[in-house]
Amino acid sequence: MKDIPRAISDIKSPFLAEVTTFIRTRGLAYSTEKAYLGWIKRFILFSRYSQREQIKASDIKPFLEHLVISKNVSPNTQKTALNALVFLCREMLNQDTSSLNFKRSKRATKLPEVFTHNEAMQVIALLQYPHRLVAQLMYGSGLRVNEALRLRINDIDLDAQSVTIRNGKGNKDRKSLLSPHIIPDLEQQIASVTMQHQLDTKNGFGEVYMPYALQLKYPNHAKSTGWQYLFPAQNISKDPRSNKRMRHHLTDRSVQLHVASAVKEAKILKKANCHTFRHSFATRLLEGGTDLRNIQELLGHTDIKTTQIYTHVVGTHFSGVKSPLTKI
């Protein structure tokens, strides 16, 4: 249950507990919380702070330059670290960060790896259910692996052929399309989860993890069928916050291992993983003439520049440019 926020009382460092509390009052996604806390810890260790009064915004510069010079991090990694430390110093400690001037990472941003359609279908065919259905949602709807695994039954609208992704990256909700091709499999998966939930309920379980705000607003929903995970774990486990025994969702590691095995079995030499399906989804839409703004919305990108990377993946051969060799 690594995607369930740990209790504040379990955090040993009083300062990090304070930072965590501040992050949660701002409503940031749990993935952002973990990333920010990781960078803040590294910043504290690098600067050799022993108390909060020593923290200075001016120390952000040497830390960020250390990441570039000694660690050779990518621009995106350095940017994440910057965001975390500006959040700490400016938002929480009320320090001025406007004069920050540091050496920025110049590492080239690599183009994402993309499956051809045949490669994607070949990998999917080598997977067993429910991992195959997870991959179909990543490729057919552009979901990240954890977005697919956190889906609840209520998030699937078979009539509208749409899926709702809640609390995605950036703590945003969005909708994406569902391929009619997988509707029968989704119906079967929902029926299977419903039967499993009925059995769990008879055995004294049947409750599922709910984010704290939803748990307060809808106290009975945790036991309802609609809020059960679409891809439940095989075994009952203990919620680290409530200590209740309940059924969580499949782990991302499980899906990643199965996908990696299928890629190897398909003899695909690309450096491919679960996220390659999402990249391939965007690339297929762009190849098919879908507007870049629509792709941005389906993927949940905040900045259109993030989506524009796929125009480079598609390349010039879809814009009518031909190689001189074709005239020989």
Side-chain angles (χ1 to χ4, degrees):
M1 294 190 176
K2 66 178 184 178
D3 59 345
I4 296 179
R6 62 189 298 198
I8 300 292
S9 57
D10 291 339
I11 302 175
K12 295 180 180 179
S13 165
F15 177 70
L16 291 179
E18 182 184 354
V19 175
T20 304
T21 301
F22 186 79
I23 289 174
R24 292 181 185 177
T25 59
R26 292 301 183 93
L28 300 184
Y30 185 49
S31 57
T32 303
E33 174 186 316
K34 290 188 291 183
Y36 278 19
L37 286 173
W39 284 114
I40 289 169
K41 288 177 187 177
R42 290 181 65 173
F43 175 60
I44 290 172
L45 290 172
F46 176 81
S47 304
R48 298 182 180 179
Y49 296 138
S50 58
Q51 49 191 341
R52 62 175 291 159
E53 289 74 20
Q54 295 176 316
I55 299 175
K56 295 182 296 183
S58 58
D59 289 338
I60 296 177
K61 174 183 176 179
F63 177 69
L64 294 178
E65 292 186 344
H66 159 75
L67 293 179
V68 173
I69 297 169
S70 300
K71 301 298 182 180
N72 193 31
V73 301
S74 69
N76 284 339
T77 299
Q78 189 190 42
K79 183 179 179 181
T80 302
L82 171 64
N83 291 341
L85 301 182
V86 167
F87 180 86
L88 170 69
C89 294
R90 185 182 68 193
E91 303 298 323
M92 180 177 166
L93 301 179
N94 297 314
Q95 297 181 7
D96 182 17
T97 60
S98 60
S99 60
L100 277 177
N101 184 20
F102 54 91
K103 179 179 177 63
R104 296 185 180 272
S105 174
K106 298 296 183 182
R107 262 183 58 182
T109 301
K110 294 182 179 179
L111 292 179
E113 198 71 77
V114 174
F115 289 127
T116 66
H117 177 67
N118 287 339
E119 288 172 339
M121 298 307 292
Q122 189 177 2
V123 172
I124 289 171
L126 290 169
L127 294 168
Q128 301 296 316
Y129 286 99
H131 298 97
R132 180 184 295 182
L133 188 53
V134 176
Q136 287 172 320
L137 284 167
M138 291 189 290
Y139 182 48
S141 304
L143 273 59
R144 300 175 178 91
V145 61
N146 278 313
E147 290 175 343
L149 296 179
R150 286 197 296 262
L151 288 174
R152 315 278 181 140
I153 290 177
N154 282 339
D155 297 328
I156 304 297
D157 190 333
L158 297 176
D159 292 332
Q161 295 184 0
S162 68
V163 55
T164 301
I165 301 95
R166 305 189 188 279
N167 299 316
K169 193 172 182 179
N171 208 24
K172 300 189 296 285
D173 292 356
R174 73 180 192 279
K175 282 187 178 290
S176 189
L177 49 89
L178 279 180
S179 168
H181 176 72
I182 65 169
I183 297 298
D185 293 329
L186 284 169
E187 290 175 334
Q188 186 175 350
Q189 181 68 13
I190 290 171
S192 175
V193 173
T194 301
M195 291 181 61
Q196 179 68 69
H197 179 237
Q198 291 172 347
L199 184 60
D200 285 346
T201 302
K202 288 181 180 180
N203 289 330
F205 303 111
E207 189 171 343
V208 72
Y209 166 75
M210 299 275 285
Y212 185 66
L214 290 177
Q215 181 67 48
L216 291 178
K217 190 174 182 179
Y218 308 110
N220 296 321
H221 280 28
K223 295 182 179 180
S224 68
T225 302
W227 281 92
Q228 301 304 303
Y229 287 113
L230 183 63
F231 299 107
Q234 187 173 0
N235 300 314
I236 298 286
S237 55
K238 186 172 72 172
D239 183 329
R241 300 191 69 182
S242 66
N243 288 324
K244 293 181 180 179
R245 292 179 59 77
M246 56 183 65
R247 192 177 297 276
H248 203 49
H249 58 65
L250 288 175
T251 66
D252 54 359
R253 185 61 178 159
S254 169
V255 180
Q256 289 162 353
L257 288 173
H258 281 83
V259 168
S261 178
V263 169
K264 184 177 180 180
E265 187 177 349
K267 294 182 172 57
I268 296 172
L269 302 181
K270 297 175 180 177
K271 192 177 180 181
N273 53 36
C274 287
H275 213 64
T276 309
F277 285 114
R278 177 173 158 87
H279 293 318
S280 305
F281 165 81
T283 304
R284 294 293 97 75
L285 292 187
L286 194 58
E287 290 171 351
T290 304
D291 181 77
L292 203 60
R293 290 287 182 184
N294 289 337
I295 298 174
Q296 177 191 8
E297 186 175 339
L298 291 169
L299 293 175
H301 288 160
T302 302
D303 192 339
I304 190 67
K305 291 180 182 178
T306 307
T307 317
Q308 285 173 339
I309 190 70
Y310 296 108
T311 62
H312 300 288
V313 176
V314 171
T316 57
H317 53 294
F318 286 98
S319 60
V321 178
K322 295 183 178 179
S323 166
L325 281 175
T326 59
K327 298 180 180 180
I328 297 177

